[in-house]
Amino acid sequence: MANELLNMDCKELRDQIAAGQVKSTEAAESVFKAIEKNDPVLGTYISTFKQQALAKAGDIDDKIAAGKPVGQLAGVPVAIKDNMCTTFGATTCASKILENFHAPYNATVVEKLLAADAVIIGKTNLDEFAMGSSTENSGLKQTVNPWDTTRVPGGSSGGSTAAVAAHLCFAALGSDTGGSIRQPASFCGVVGLKPTYGRVSRFGLVAYGSSLDQIGPITRTVADSALMMNIIAGHDPADSTSVDESTTPVCDYLEKLDEPLDNLKIAVVPQFNAGADQQVQKAIADAVDAYEKLGAEITEINMPHLDYAIAAYYVIATAEASSNLARYDGVHYGYRTKNPQDYIEVYSKSRAEAFGKEVKRRIMLGTYALSSGYYDAYYLKALKVRNLIRGDFTSAFEKCDCIMMPVSPTTAFKIGEKIDDPLTMYISDIYTIAANLAGVPAISIPCGFDDNNLPIGLQILAPAFAEDKLLRIARIYEKETDWHKKTPTMI
Ligand code: GLN
């Protein structure tokens, strides 16, 4: 029998805790019980902080009983992808190279969650350094999909999304470089938002592709996504790419959520969507029809450069990764080889022994693309394509408020199905990558199930810094449908 308390979303739980109807300690204990029951199979957490979480929950309960003011997320158990720095526990990036790394500071998003009185219960599994689409590249453990444990949860934020879907936390943070929040959200039937590049601080997020990475919320409802954005969005002086709020202010996303949306114009890109499986295409078409019935105007557009997004992304992301991962040298951070003969061996053996196969592949690809003589042919060309893709979005948003498309061409695939074929794995990112190249916000919301009872996600993309509108658009569909209320049978 599902635990009623765990069925609540963050907003409901927060309100009940604030009203003294539920204790935060009760919520945390229920979560840890669910973790003990189901996480041995699901493998969502790399580490949990039971004592610390229960102590924090107890403090919140005391504050509330004493009538003291508390934060926006007071007493709500949340999880963090293990590529965000915390002073408590290790920050592993699911890599052997950082297995015992303890960060000297908290990521800004972690500080913000703590300031909002959230109860952080653990850090979740991911593809090593967030490189992958299935969480199978984790160097530490395997995560499976709560809807079908023979399938992947998606990736790279597979631990966070499977934990939210299986009620092993109420919300989680993920990071999205090319789809890592949205694609696993779609595979696990939850809501995943990648904010505009620069809207949420990346300070303390272990860098993969710095010009693409963005932290965002993974939740069970759109309202929770808005609530989490209220906490994590905003300028951070510690991150020079975080955007100045005097030109692009943040707002109260939750308060704006139910404001009416008049004359909504939605664009679809038929020739692009045709690459998805039949059942995915049908679910997306049905969702778009539902919007039309609600009064939206649907237009078909052409975005001619989207076909080149994967090629451009896998040059740019690997180039940035090869540079970002140079710091793991056996000297500054993490793993060091035993008994090296000289300093060259400290470097080469430490990296050879502790990086996984996919990370090595990407370092080699990126180093090649940046090397003298190849830079113009690959890296520079990819940057030019990125500009053309940005241009496609600029012209699209002159004609519409948002674009709708699939999140992924398929539903969750079988464990092992694509892991030996990197190109097939990379192609599964076809629908998510363009938002990162263009820096625009995009959300995945549940919009159906296939014949195997696996969730399907609808992706909605909006202009930069229009998260408030994007959330409102997502919300009107969620209100009309029940997809987000379905839960895997194991809980
Ligand atoms: N699947 C993509 C990759 O492997 C995206 C990963 C991500 O968004 N972190 O690079």
Side-chain angles (χ1 to χ4, degrees), residues 57-69:
D59 285 350
I60 309 266
D61 287 336
D62 291 346
K63 269 196 196 168
I64 289 171
K68 291 190 184 148

Side-chain angles (χ1 to χ4, degrees), residues 265-329:
K265 284 205 184 84
I266 297 171
V268 289
V269 200
Q271 110 279 9
F272 192 49
N273 292 1
D277 279 4
Q278 284 305 319
Q279 294 189 48
V280 172
Q281 281 192 52
K282 164 122 189 13
I284 303 303
D286 288 350
V288 173
D289 280 353
Y291 275 99
E292 193 169 21
K293 290 205 183 82
L294 290 166
E297 185 188 315
I298 316 293
T299 38
E300 294 191 353
I301 56 164
N302 194 8
M303 297 180 74
H305 303 100
L306 291 191
D307 291 340
Y308 307 102
I310 295 228
Y313 170 87
Y314 276 97
V315 172
I316 294 168
T318 57
E320 293 185 12
S322 73
S323 159
N324 277 325
L325 271 60
R327 73 191 67 171
Y328 307 106
D329 52 9

Side-chain angles (χ1 to χ4, degrees), residues 1-2 31-42 168 489-491:
M1 244 275 290
V31 163
F32 282 109
K33 223 184 235 166
I35 292 174
E36 272 154 39
K37 178 170 163 253
N38 282 331
D39 214 41
V41 172
L42 292 174
L168 307 187
T489 47
M490 64 157 40
I491 59 177

Side-chain angles (χ1 to χ4, degrees), residues 360-374:
K360 286 178 184 158
R361 178 183 292 125
R362 294 192 185 205
I363 291 173
M364 286 191 287
L365 279 171
T367 307
Y368 182 78
L370 289 177
S371 51
S372 146
Y374 297 102

Side-chain angles (χ1 to χ4, degrees), residues 81-85 91 93 123-124 126 129-130 174-175 204-206:
K81 184 174 179 179
D82 203 14
N83 62 349
M84 298 174 208
C85 289
T91 298
C93 284
K123 299 185 80 179
T124 55
L126 62 149
F129 285 101
S175 66
L205 169 69
V206 178

Side-chain angles (χ1 to χ4, degrees), residues 22-33:
V22 170
K23 291 241 174 295
S24 171
T25 34
E26 215 182 308
E29 271 160 10
S30 303
V31 163
F32 282 109
K33 223 184 235 166

Side-chain angles (χ1 to χ4, degrees), residues 370-413:
L370 289 177
S371 51
S372 146
Y374 297 102
Y375 180 95
D376 289 359
Y378 297 109
Y379 186 65
L380 201 61
K381 178 115 4 92
L383 292 183
K384 288 179 181 166
V385 173
R386 182 177 195 172
N387 241 348
L388 293 171
I389 291 171
R390 274 205 195 109
D392 276 3
F393 278 101
T394 311
S395 12
F397 289 133
E398 279 162 12
K399 300 184 207 94
C400 65
D401 300 294
C402 70
I403 302 166
M404 291 189 182
M405 60 172 72
V407 180
S408 166
T410 66
T411 52
F413 44 87

